[in-house]
């Protein structure tokens, strides 16, 4: 009798564990009518650096790969990674460097599609400070705009200043978000310089309110500023999701790889025509310009270059307070995989 009671307790415990595990898997990748229902948080849907997210939807490539995807916009990559870790979303379109930063905190995220080998970011200087801030060496005593503390723009700002011989105590990093909040911060003396992307860059430079100080929208500018490639915009997920649902990850990789190929064979005008009209902010010509200025950042194949991953680790090892103490223990192989994109190479192009 005691044996049967003991066995029943064991079976109950196992059943409870299976139930909990099953709920977690369902929450990670829910389904409806047999189709995966995936929510992807994007670190700024209207930003050109993350353009492949909405473009993939507009090209119908999610549907073509038999998945339903809901895109959510969030201006801060740091907030997006939190939503991923808590299970509120199943994937993030954001900067690759978060996978390294989170590994330093004993969390495992993995990039499965790498959109770009460069950040696509620009350090702008306000018109009133353009004559006194000529390079990052002039950041001393200045207010520098970043999306949020702990964001990729924060890491990159520290890297630019650090390579000019400055520490974080020499300047002030100010959270100004992106888009209109960034513009307001610069136009109302909240920041002297700041890091942002197109279409904000195109708006501020065209209006004369700011000048480009450091341009990391292309390989040459990125290597000059950061000493090498800095792979940034990517699709990343929790490692256990990648391991438990490789078929669904493959569908996502197929969709995004198709979009990256499509970008390489179409003009900025054709790309802009596919995007939501509100992204142009009432100025279609300026939006086309913003795409033209940034579009070369996309690599066309979705593959991570090892050189780039190593350079990201080098920079975070110097300027991220999370990564620096454990740099030698970071396993880069755990932060990305090219497996799914390599399989997607033969996927049909729209």
């Amino acid at each position: 009798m005691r044996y049967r009671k003991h066995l029943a307790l064991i079976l109950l415990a196992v059943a409870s564990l299976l139930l909990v595990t099953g709920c977690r898997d369902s929450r990670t990748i829910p389904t409806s009518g047999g189709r995966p229902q995936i929510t992807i948080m994007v670190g700024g849907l209207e930003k050109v650096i993350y353009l492949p997210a909405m473009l993939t939807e507009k090209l119908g490539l999610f549907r073509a790969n038999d998945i339903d995807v809901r895109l959510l916009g969030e201006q801060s990559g740091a907030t997006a990674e939190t939503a991923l870790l808590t299970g509120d979303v199943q994937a993030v379109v954001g900067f690759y460097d978060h996978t390294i930063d989170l590994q330093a905190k004993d969390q495992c995220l993995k990039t499965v599609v790498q959109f770009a080998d460069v950040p696509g970011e620009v350090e702008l200087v306000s018109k009133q400070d353009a004559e006194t801030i000529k390079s990052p060496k002039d950041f001393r005593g200045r207010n520098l705009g970043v999306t949020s503390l702990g964001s990729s723009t924060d890491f990159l700002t520290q890297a630019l200043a650090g390579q000019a011989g400055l520490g974080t105590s020499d300047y002030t990093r100010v959270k100004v978000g992106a888009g209109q909040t960034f513009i307001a911060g610069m136009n109302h003396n909240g920041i002297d310089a700041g890091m942002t992307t197109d279409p904000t860059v195109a708006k501020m430079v065209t209006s004369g309110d700011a000048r480009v100080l450091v341009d990391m929208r292309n390989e040459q500018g990125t290597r000059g500023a950061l000493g090498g490639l800095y792979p940034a915009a990517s699709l990343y997920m929790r490692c256990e999701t990648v391991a438990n649902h490789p078929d669904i990850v493959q569908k996502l990789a197929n969709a995004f790889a198709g979009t990256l190929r499509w970008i390489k064979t179409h003009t900025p005008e054709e790309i802009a025509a596919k995007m939501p009209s509100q992204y142009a902010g009432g100025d279609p010509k300026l939006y086309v310009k913003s795409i033209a200025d940034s579009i070369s950042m996309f690599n066309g194949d979705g593959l991570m270059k090892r050189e780039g991953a190593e350079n990201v680790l080098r920079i975070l090892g110097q300027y991220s307070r999370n990564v620096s103490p454990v740099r030698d223990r970071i396993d880069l192989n755990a932060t990305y995989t090219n497996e799914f994109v390599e399989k997607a190479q033969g996927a049909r192009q729209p």
Side-chain angles (χ1 to χ4, degrees), residues 10-22:
I10 292 175
L11 292 175
L12 179 61
V14 170
S16 298
L17 178 62
L18 289 174
L19 180 60
V20 170
T21 303

Side-chain angles (χ1 to χ4, degrees), residues 26-269:
S26 175
R27 187 174 68 246
T28 302
I29 305 288
T31 60
S32 178
R35 293 168 62 92
Q37 307 292 299
I38 301 168
T39 301
I40 301 177
M41 184 165 281
V42 184
L45 273 169
E46 74 288 351
K47 295 179 182 178
V48 175
I49 59 171
Y50 298 140
L51 177 148
M54 183 57 71
L55 183 57
T56 301
E57 179 176 294
K58 293 301 182 181
L59 290 174
L61 292 182
F62 293 133
R63 293 191 302 274
N65 282 279
D66 199 33
I67 48 178
D68 293 331
V69 172
R70 181 168 68 113
L71 300 174
L72 296 179
E74 169 54 56
Q75 293 296 340
S76 170
T79 302
E81 74 180 22
T82 299
L84 181 62
L85 292 173
T86 58
D88 292 332
V89 301
Q90 289 77 47
V92 167
V93 169
F95 269 36
Y96 161 69
D97 54 21
H98 288 287
T99 68
I100 297 177
D101 188 60
L102 263 292
Q103 189 182 126
K105 301 175 185 176
D106 298 319
Q107 298 288 340
C108 190
L109 303 180
K110 181 168 289 189
T111 284
V112 294
V113 184
Q114 187 62 47
F115 298 167
D117 301 327
V118 300
E121 299 277 354
V122 174
E123 184 74 18
L124 291 178
V125 58
S126 67
K127 62 181 179 181
Q128 58 265 36
D129 296 295
E131 296 305 317
T132 54
I133 301 179
K134 298 289 188 179
S135 77
K137 293 180 181 179
D138 302 317
F139 285 167
R140 188 181 302 275
R142 300 291 188 164
N143 292 329
L144 307 178
V146 298
T147 306
S148 65
L149 298 182
S151 68
S152 296
T153 56
D154 188 7
F155 296 149
L156 290 172
T157 297
Q158 293 181 59
L160 292 181
Q163 294 184 133
L166 303 180
T168 53
S169 61
D170 293 320
Y171 54 90
T172 301
R173 288 127 58 214
V174 181
K175 176 183 176 181
V176 291
Q180 290 303 314
T181 57
F182 180 96
I183 293 172
M186 183 162 283
N187 286 346
H188 294 89
N189 299 316
I191 56 174
D192 306 305
M195 192 169 293
T196 191
T197 62
D198 279 309
T200 304
V201 175
K203 289 179 181 177
M204 297 208 72
V205 172
T206 300
S207 68
D209 290 330
R211 295 182 187 175
V212 173
L213 185 69
V214 180
D215 193 340
M216 294 179 286
R217 293 175 293 188
N218 54 65
E219 183 174 333
Q220 180 180 0
T222 298
R223 288 187 182 277
L226 302 174
L229 298 176
Y230 195 96
S234 68
L235 176 73
Y236 61 81
M237 309 174 76
R238 295 179 66 170
C239 292
E240 56 264 39
T241 303
V242 176
N244 292 338
H245 303 282
D247 54 334
I248 297 175
V249 178
Q250 188 63 60
K251 291 175 184 291
L252 286 168
N254 291 346
F256 281 112
T259 296
L260 292 172
R261 291 194 299 267
W262 192 92
I263 288 173
K264 288 300 182 183
T265 57
H266 290 77
T267 66
E269 289 81 5

